[in-house]
Amino acid sequence: MRYYSQIYIVIITTLMICLSGCTTPQKQQVNQTPSTQQNSPENNQPSSQIKLLNEEAVKLSEQGQLKEGFQKLEQALTISTDRGERFWEAVTLNNMGRIYQKQANYAQALQSYQQALLINKELGDRVQLGKTYSNIGYLFDIQKQPELAIFFYKHCLINREQARLEPSLLSAPQPDAYSITVAQTYRILGDKLLKQGRVAEAQRSLDLLKVEELQGFASGVRGNQQTAKGINIIPQETATKQKLEQTLDNAVELGKELTKLRKIPPEQRSPQEKQRIEEIVLTQQKLLKQFNDFIASPPVKAQLDQISRAAKGQNLDLGSINELRDNLAKLPEKSVLIYPLVLQDSLELVVVSPESVPVHRPVKVTREQLNQTIATFRQDLQSPRRQDAKKTANQLYDWLIKPLENDIKLAGAKQLIYAPDDQLRYIPLSALYDGKQWLVERFSVNYITAASLSNFNTPPKRNFRALAGAFTKGNYQFQVGTQQLNYAGLQFAGQEVESIATTLPGSQKLLDQAFNPQATIPQMDDYPIVHLATHAAFVVGKPEDSFILFGNGDRIHLQDVANWSLPNVDLVVLSACETGLGGKLGNGEEILGFAYQMQKTGARATIASLWSVDDGGTQALMSAFYTLLSSGKLTKAEALRQTQIALITGKSPENNPLPIAISSGFSHPYYWAPFILIGNGL
């Protein structure tokens, strides 16, 4: 009975989200309320004192001094309740819950999180509300109760995505009061949904994970009405929400009254005010008991069982999935969408096609094994002298594509829409090897950052003119982080842009000193294609470390790119960029961040390289690519594919002969594999 008592308290509290998370978000729902702003630690001394006590408590807790840490939190809670510092009261309660949790006192942890949840809802603070839901989800996670963990993690996403409509709320410094990061919440939720067979919900979680990772790398990522929908609350939960709604409204109203009373200094409270505070606290306790009795009733228990069965059977609102299928169906080539999710002990694959529900295929490989193979593969690919690339390419094929072969075949797919995860972002999918041929010889590959949130099927304007800049001579040295970098002019870059100008009449060339930000950036939106034959680097770490180098030595950083306006640009090409600078691999968020920033400018697609090919291979590839694209017969994705095949075989495509000779010396994937297309591949 005690077990059910603990669970039911939490389920009821969680369903509060239905009051605030299942409805269409309005702007006022995500703004900080006046009470939250007034409780900012910079505004008054009590807040600063509470903040310091919480920081000391967290530090002591991390050092294993739980008793001492809890004593600090008791002091903080006394000050916050006496002074009506509701924001900091919730923070302190969350941290108390964390210590209870470490002590395996799960009932008390739950009670602390529950109290924080009520305060956050009262304040209308979506950010804190979402993170408190994450704490509760994690509490049930460590107790091996995945259904409840999923339920609460979903509510974290709902509130987080509604808060994303005001990105400044997410970018503001947040106190440390949470068991795991928000990105971990998204990732864990996706994992648990997949393991329960709830693939449609998992697909949505994976989409939103990409957005959350962007927020972690480049703050200020704004959401939209599509992202603000969060993740579906299945229909069977609606009835429970309606039954609880009035009770929860009463609890919030009581909380607001309590906040006003507690803003009166204790020594100035009248006897009537003191009595009213006691009455409110007692009434809230009675309401929680009513919640427990309601949830413990047989009809509600039966309904919860029904919810679990229905969700596992995919009996849920598939509106967003149907929209995604429609987008796939509108593409000129049969396509499937592939999502890998890299977990500690497994690789989880999700494939979506126009005709079927999402399919989940688990692969037994650890993150460590996968990352070691990725690192080896990159080394094999980045040296044309290494002839063993096919071995690791085949191993990665067995993990990433082979489990999906039948699904891809049934869909009749000719194109793979790919949303890579973690370090998979550092390797080209097209360079996987099935034992007989490279993947690019079977499929075109179109990368996207968050498939169901991106418009990847809008036809481009067929106007082939380019603004082509090149860094051909000179030498520039500068420091990025702890690395001293030295970049020399690209030997073949001049020929590269000359070939583009010849192939695409009406194009403009900018070389070396003339290729500078002041002359280049204002002209970009006058051309449907912007081609930059220069060094660029996506650096693990802060966004300001990633850069594009211009011919005069100036650098434009990733954050500066966000200020560009390129609504008329169909394609941006960076032909000599590199990732994993210095051999350091992160989780690939810098690649995701670059693609996002380009998308934010209005440009529909980007071609970038995962490593720099500093010789005639790039010039040959780009010449062939623009020749095929300018014919108007092929999409960008297919033109890139046929170009890569031409380099592999040393022959022109049969149906699209090239007016230039292709050397057979470019067959190694070092030359053709690094170029990936991100965004709209049409």
Side-chain angles (χ1 to χ4, degrees):
M1 194 66 186
R2 180 181 176 187
Y3 168 82
Y4 286 111
S5 171
Q6 294 176 21
I7 293 178
Y8 296 150
I9 291 173
V10 185
I11 295 177
I12 278 295
T13 309
T14 305
L15 286 173
M16 288 170 57
I17 190 65
C18 293
L19 294 177
S20 55
C22 298
T23 56
T24 302
Q26 301 296 325
K27 185 170 183 180
Q28 62 266 27
Q29 291 177 302
V30 297
N31 286 337
Q32 292 274 20
T33 62
S35 61
T36 304
Q37 294 170 345
Q38 290 167 4
N39 290 331
S40 168
E42 290 75 24
N43 289 346
N44 55 63
Q45 185 178 354
S47 294
S48 299
Q49 186 181 0
I50 301 166
K51 178 177 182 289
L52 180 60
L53 286 167
N54 270 273
E55 290 172 348
E56 292 173 346
V58 170
K59 186 176 181 180
L60 288 167
S61 173
E62 290 172 348
Q63 295 171 349
Q65 301 179 57
L66 302 183
K67 181 179 178 181
E68 294 80 358
F70 198 83
Q71 289 171 348
K72 296 282 186 183
L73 293 175
E74 287 179 318
Q75 295 177 46
L77 188 62
T78 299
I79 297 170
S80 60
T81 54
D82 284 349
R83 300 296 178 184
E85 299 278 0
R86 296 289 272 170
F87 173 84
W88 284 106
E89 184 181 350
V91 169
T92 305
L93 286 165
N94 265 307
N95 280 325
M96 283 181 158
R98 293 168 76 188
I99 290 183
Y100 281 131
Q101 187 172 288
K102 288 184 177 182
Q103 295 172 329
N105 190 343
Y106 299 134
Q108 286 293 332
L110 183 56
Q111 184 177 359
S112 294
Y113 292 149
Q114 180 183 26
Q115 291 171 335
L117 200 68
L118 288 168
I119 295 170
N120 289 328
K121 186 177 187 302
E122 175 195 329
L123 296 177
D125 191 330
R126 292 282 187 191
V127 177
Q128 303 303 319
L129 189 62
K131 288 188 174 182
T132 305
Y133 274 120
S134 176
N135 277 355
I136 298 173
Y138 186 70
L139 178 65
F140 280 95
D141 205 349
I142 62 177
Q143 294 180 80
K144 310 298 182 185
Q145 299 179 50
E147 290 82 7
L148 287 174
I150 286 172
F151 196 64
F152 287 102
Y153 285 150
K154 284 175 70 174
H155 294 99
C156 171
L157 265 66
I158 289 169
N159 280 276
R160 184 78 172 179
E161 295 307 323
Q162 289 184 359
R164 205 182 301 284
L165 293 174
E166 294 287 340
S168 61
L169 300 182
L170 300 182
S171 302
Q174 301 292 338
D176 183 0
Y178 307 101
S179 300
I180 57 177
T181 67
V182 178
Q184 285 174 321
T185 302
Y186 284 59
R187 185 174 293 276
I188 292 170
L189 174 60
D191 174 32
K192 294 193 173 301
L193 287 167
L194 287 174
K195 287 179 177 175
Q196 290 207 351
R198 299 163 65 172
V199 184
E201 294 166 279
Q203 179 267 327
R204 178 64 172 174
S205 181
L206 296 182
D207 272 346
L208 295 174
L209 169 63
K210 305 295 186 291
V211 182
E212 180 58 34
E213 286 179 324
L214 284 172
Q215 176 66 36
F217 181 69
S219 60
V221 176
R222 180 177 291 278
N224 53 43
Q225 292 304 316
Q226 183 73 3
T227 60
K229 293 176 183 177
I231 189 167
N232 284 330
I233 298 297
I234 57 180
Q236 288 84 354
E237 292 170 332
T238 304
T240 305
K241 167 220 165 185
Q242 291 171 344
K243 292 179 182 180
L244 293 174
E245 198 167 61
Q246 188 58 54
T247 307
L248 296 174
D249 282 344
N250 291 341
V252 171
E253 288 305 313
L254 286 171
K256 290 178 180 178
E257 184 182 353
L258 186 62
T259 297
K260 292 179 181 178
L261 289 170
R262 281 184 169 164
K263 284 189 175 294
I264 303 171
E267 63 276 8
Q268 297 179 18
R269 291 172 190 164
S270 68
Q272 293 81 6
E273 289 167 339
K274 292 177 182 178
Q275 182 180 352
R276 181 55 181 159
I277 290 175
E278 293 175 3
E279 290 174 352
I280 291 174
V281 172
L282 182 61
T283 303
Q284 286 183 328
Q285 291 174 353
K286 289 181 179 179
L287 286 172
L288 290 177
K289 185 178 183 303
Q290 291 174 9
F291 292 167
N292 297 338
D293 293 342
F294 178 79
I295 291 296
S297 65
V300 176
K301 289 172 64 176
Q303 186 179 36
L304 291 176
D305 290 340
Q306 180 189 10
I307 287 172
S308 178
R309 289 194 304 271
K312 290 180 181 180
Q314 294 298 308
N315 182 20
L316 57 127
D317 180 9
L318 293 178
S320 61
I321 302 299
N322 289 334
E323 182 180 349
L324 176 56
R325 289 187 202 144
D326 289 343
N327 284 339
L328 289 169
K330 291 174 184 175
L331 292 171
E333 293 230 322
K334 291 245 182 182
S335 304
V336 296
L337 174 65
I338 297 176
Y339 288 83
L341 180 64
V342 180
L343 303 174
Q344 195 65 38
D345 298 313
S346 66
L347 173 66
E348 307 292 331
L349 303 176
V350 175
V351 60
V352 182
S353 71
E355 291 85 14
S356 70
V357 297
V359 175
H360 168 223
R361 306 293 181 199
V363 179
K364 195 64 181 175
V365 57
T366 67
R367 175 184 269 125
E368 183 180 4
Q369 289 174 309
L370 181 63
N371 286 348
Q372 286 175 351
T373 307
I374 288 170
T376 301
F377 190 41
R378 274 183 63 91
Q379 291 174 359
D380 293 341
L381 293 177
Q382 288 182 263
S383 173
R385 291 182 294 276
R386 296 181 69 146
Q387 298 302 316
D388 50 358
K390 288 182 179 179
K391 181 179 178 180
T392 48
N394 186 238
Q395 176 62 79
L396 287 164
Y397 179 91
D398 287 346
W399 287 335
L400 280 165
I401 301 299
K402 192 171 183 178
L404 306 176
E405 279 183 334
N406 191 52
D407 304 304
I408 295 171
K409 183 178 179 180
L410 288 174
K414 300 295 184 184
Q415 177 175 237
L416 307 180
I417 309 294
Y418 184 50
D421 183 41
D422 206 60
Q423 292 194 2
L424 288 170
R425 294 167 182 148
Y426 291 109
I427 58 172
L429 190 71
S430 58
L432 302 192
Y433 191 73
D434 66 5
K436 296 181 180 179
Q437 58 187 163
W438 303 104
L439 193 69
V440 72
E441 297 179 85
R442 295 169 54 195
F443 305 102
S444 61
V445 179
N446 187 170
Y447 285 64
I448 53 174
T449 57
S452 63
L453 312 179
S454 302
N455 184 356
F456 55 84
N457 60 16
T458 301
K461 299 175 183 177
R462 289 299 183 185
N463 182 0
F464 300 105
R465 295 183 307 117
L467 176 66
F471 168 35
T472 69
K473 59 186 178 182
N475 192 296
Y476 300 110
Q477 296 180 352
F478 46 85
Q479 189 163 337
V480 174
T482 59
Q483 299 182 75
Q484 185 67 33
L485 303 179
N486 184 8
Y487 286 108
L490 297 169
Q491 180 182 358
F492 289 88
Q495 297 177 34
E496 191 176 314
V497 299
E498 187 66 45
S499 174
I500 292 170
T502 301
T503 305
L504 307 179
S507 297
Q508 181 179 355
K509 299 179 295 181
L510 295 172
L511 300 178
D512 299 322
Q513 292 298 317
F515 174 41
N516 59 70
Q518 295 75 25
T520 307
I521 296 172
Q523 299 185 66
M524 286 182 173
D525 201 42
D526 293 330
Y527 297 84
I529 298 172
V530 174
H531 184 101
L532 306 180
T534 184
H535 298 284
F538 309 146
V539 184
V540 176
K542 299 178 181 178
E544 57 266 24
D545 286 345
S546 297
F547 63 88
I548 299 171
L549 178 66
F550 282 74
N552 68 337
D554 287 347
R555 283 177 292 157
I556 292 293
H557 295 282
L558 187 62
Q559 290 179 324
D560 300 323
V561 171
N563 298 322
W564 294 358
S565 178
L566 308 177
N568 296 312
V569 173
D570 184 54
L571 177 65
V572 176
V573 178
L574 290 174
S575 64
C577 48
E578 53 189 314
T579 60
L581 206 63
K584 181 181 178 182
L585 301 183
N587 67 356
E589 63 185 5
E590 66 276 14
I591 303 170
L592 184 71
F594 164 75
Y596 168 77
Q597 296 290 39
M598 279 298 179
Q599 181 184 16
K600 195 174 177 181
T601 69
R604 292 178 181 82
T606 304
I607 289 180
S609 61
L610 295 173
W611 59 86
S612 182
V613 183
D614 292 324
D615 60 20
T618 300
Q619 189 247 320
L621 184 142
M622 289 299 164
S623 295
F625 169 73
Y626 284 115
T627 299
L628 292 174
L629 187 67
S630 64
S631 71
K633 301 176 183 178
L634 304 175
T635 64
K636 295 187 288 287
E638 183 60 20
L640 179 59
R641 172 180 174 265
Q642 291 197 20
T643 297
Q644 291 173 318
I645 293 174
L647 265 67
I648 293 169
T649 62
K651 301 176 182 177
S652 292
E654 290 183 9
N655 299 327
N656 298 286
L658 296 170
I660 57 173
I662 298 293
S663 169
S664 60
F666 296 138
S667 62
H668 192 281
Y670 164 78
Y671 297 103
W672 55 264
F675 300 95
I676 60 173
L677 187 146
I678 310 170
N680 188 318
L682 297 183

